[in-house]
Amino acid sequence: MTPTIADIRAAPLRRPEVLGRPRASTASWDPWGLMHPLSNDRAFAGQAARFAPPWGEVVCVATASDGTFGVGMTSQAGPITPVINDFFAPMLAGEPALATEKLWNMMARSANSAFGASGLASFAVGAVDLALWDLKGKILGVPVYELIGGPARDRTRCYATGNDLDDLRDRGFDSFKLACGVGSGAATAGIEETERLVSDARSELGPDADIMLDCWPVLDASYAVRLGEAMQPYRLTWIEDYAQPDDWPGYADVRRRLPSVMLAAGERWYTDRAFAHAAGQRLVDVVQPDIQWVGGATAVLKIAAIAAAAGIELALHGGCNDSYGQHLCHGLPGNRWAEMFVGCGPGESLMGAWRSTPGMAVPTDGRLVPSDAPGFGIDLNRDQLDAAIS
Ligand SMILES: [Mg+2]
């Protein structure tokens, strides 16, 4: 008999050390420390904490009528915990537990009508959807990358995001994404500083290494164009997140004025509809949904189909940093790269790199082979889950 959904329950992650993460780690760059949403105004320099939401991660557990459970995670626990527990959980109770497409559609359409399906709502949909895919894999006894039609390859190539190139190379990576550390408020001096960062990296890594530049989505379009022109001699693989997330005219402007630069964006676009718009207008060459933020695995599968049909590359944001992204990266032919954001210092385990999930694989020689355990292979029992949220 097909199992049904017995219970869906979300709670804030209170003890991340239960997930095997170190209590504190040091990154070679801290995105919020360098850039924040007001980085276009020098008056707000050094005030990143003022603009960061105070909420941590949420753990969502979906339990089926046969007792099997799946685990989903995302951030923004404060506002999305009641969205899951009070709105989605009673809506989905008693539905077929394997019907991920139907269940995603119920959540997305009802949220869209009530308060919008993007933004915070897409985090809530994502946590439930990831728990349901984990549950489905466990019930069927197969890893998620097989459920979605993979594996697409033997090993998935990774790139490391960070500015400590010596450490990243010591860890075996051969492709790198640098963090632009100054926003539009720094004007010409900012462009010169970023040019030094990229020029030094190109000299150090040689002519053939893949180097990307992440500008965080806080620049103004005209600044992004000047920056992109200054980067041309260094042959970047792509420039990423150069405009504010909803600045659609800005993305079109940058596309038109930098026709030969590879452009990537999408970690802060929410739901498949933003990606359908970007692909339809051909605003970027690479789309980068974040599986935890965009609405889960079901949303990523829709975006993968949109990107493939439009001839646009897919590269999941933080795709190597948790089990969820790893399985989608490894299962989708259109996803050439898995990003590992190295949010830990030299010598520290990549399991502490950022939002790691217990049981996930870490890349070796810059290549990833995910866990082949059922579901997303998240190695947590009920007692550990209870400890993590109590
Ligand atoms: Mg990025």
Side-chain angles (χ1 to χ4, degrees):
M1 200 174 103
T2 305
T4 55
I5 294 175
D7 183 57
I8 290 175
R9 190 66 32 200
L13 173 64
R14 300 195 192 285
R15 294 177 57 201
E17 67 273 18
V18 175
L19 305 189
R21 299 183 195 164
R23 279 185 173 275
S25 62
T26 50
S28 62
W29 68 278
D30 167 9
W32 280 88
L34 291 173
M35 298 272 262
H36 60 72
L38 277 294
S39 290
N40 62 327
D41 187 340
R42 296 176 102 166
F44 293 112
Q47 297 186 33
R50 188 173 168 188
F51 308 112
W55 311 300
E57 289 168 272
V58 68
V59 180
C60 179
V61 180
T63 306
S65 51
D66 68 356
T68 312
F69 68 94
V71 181
M73 291 185 65
T74 190
S75 49
Q76 318 299 8
I80 73 164
T81 299
V83 173
I84 295 171
N85 290 339
D86 302 342
F87 186 30
F88 293 154
M91 181 196 306
L92 303 184
E95 290 290 331
L98 304 182
T100 44
E101 185 73 23
K102 174 190 180 185
L103 302 171
W104 189 93
N105 192 52
M106 290 170 70
M107 291 189 284
R109 287 186 70 98
S110 56
N112 200 356
S113 176
F115 40 70
S118 66
L120 288 169
S122 82
F123 286 76
V125 172
V128 177
D129 181 78
L130 292 172
L132 292 170
W133 276 94
D134 189 40
L135 176 65
K136 177 147 82 170
K138 286 180 173 175
I139 289 173
L140 299 177
V142 292
V144 171
Y145 65 73
E146 285 187 2
L147 282 181
I148 64 171
R153 56 193 78 79
D154 293 337
R155 301 191 302 166
T156 292
R157 189 177 179 191
C158 305
Y159 69 84
T161 298
N163 283 2
D164 185 344
L165 294 176
D166 288 339
D167 175 49
L168 302 182
R169 280 197 291 185
D170 285 349
R171 293 179 185 276
F173 293 102
D174 58 12
S175 310
F176 311 90
K177 190 166 76 193
L178 304 168
C180 168
V182 281
S184 315
T188 300
I191 291 175
E192 290 172 352
E193 182 178 326
T194 305
E195 186 171 359
R196 279 193 296 276
L197 173 80
V198 173
S199 169
D200 289 351
R202 178 55 77 198
S203 299
E204 187 176 339
L205 298 169
D208 297 328
D210 278 292
I211 305 174
M212 300 81 151
L213 179 69
D214 190 342
C215 303
W216 238 57
V218 297
L219 302 183
D220 301 321
S222 59
Y223 182 89
V225 171
R226 290 176 61 202
L227 185 67
E229 288 171 345
M231 293 301 116
Q232 301 251 23
Y234 310 104
R235 298 183 302 106
L236 291 171
T237 301
W238 70 58
I239 295 180
E240 170 179 329
D241 276 346
Y242 40 84
Q244 293 173 73
D246 66 352
D247 183 9
W248 297 118
Y251 284 103
D253 192 29
V254 175
R255 172 73 292 167
R256 191 176 65 252
R257 294 165 71 186
L258 292 177
S260 62
V261 175
M262 188 100 155
L263 298 173
E267 70 184 62
R268 284 152 220 275
W269 292 344
Y270 304 108
T271 81
D272 53 320
R273 287 191 170 151
F275 292 84
H277 173 75
Q281 302 291 312
R282 303 205 68 82
L283 299 180
V284 294
D285 303 292
V286 184
V287 289
Q288 304 173 295
D290 183 300
I291 193 168
Q292 292 193 16
W293 306 348
V294 77
T298 301
V300 168
L301 292 172
K302 293 174 187 294
I303 293 160
I306 289 167
I312 289 172
E313 262 195 59
L314 179 71
L316 264 62
H317 174 243
C320 198
N321 282 89
D322 59 52
S323 310
Y324 309 117
Q326 290 188 356
H327 278 250
L328 274 286
C329 285
H330 200 60
L332 290 168
N335 195 102
R336 275 202 310 137
W337 295 97
E339 176 186 19
M340 172 60 87
F341 169 69
V342 181
C344 56
E348 294 175 345
S349 165
L350 285 177
M351 286 299 288
W354 178 51
R355 78 178 189 192
S356 58
T357 43
M360 78 175 202
V362 293
T364 52
D365 299 326
R367 304 294 185 274
L368 172 75
V369 181
S371 160
D372 62 359
F376 290 109
I378 296 171
D379 189 13
L380 275 176
N381 61 34
R382 283 276 189 190
D383 290 343
Q384 291 166 318
L385 273 171
D386 290 343
I389 61 176
S390 59

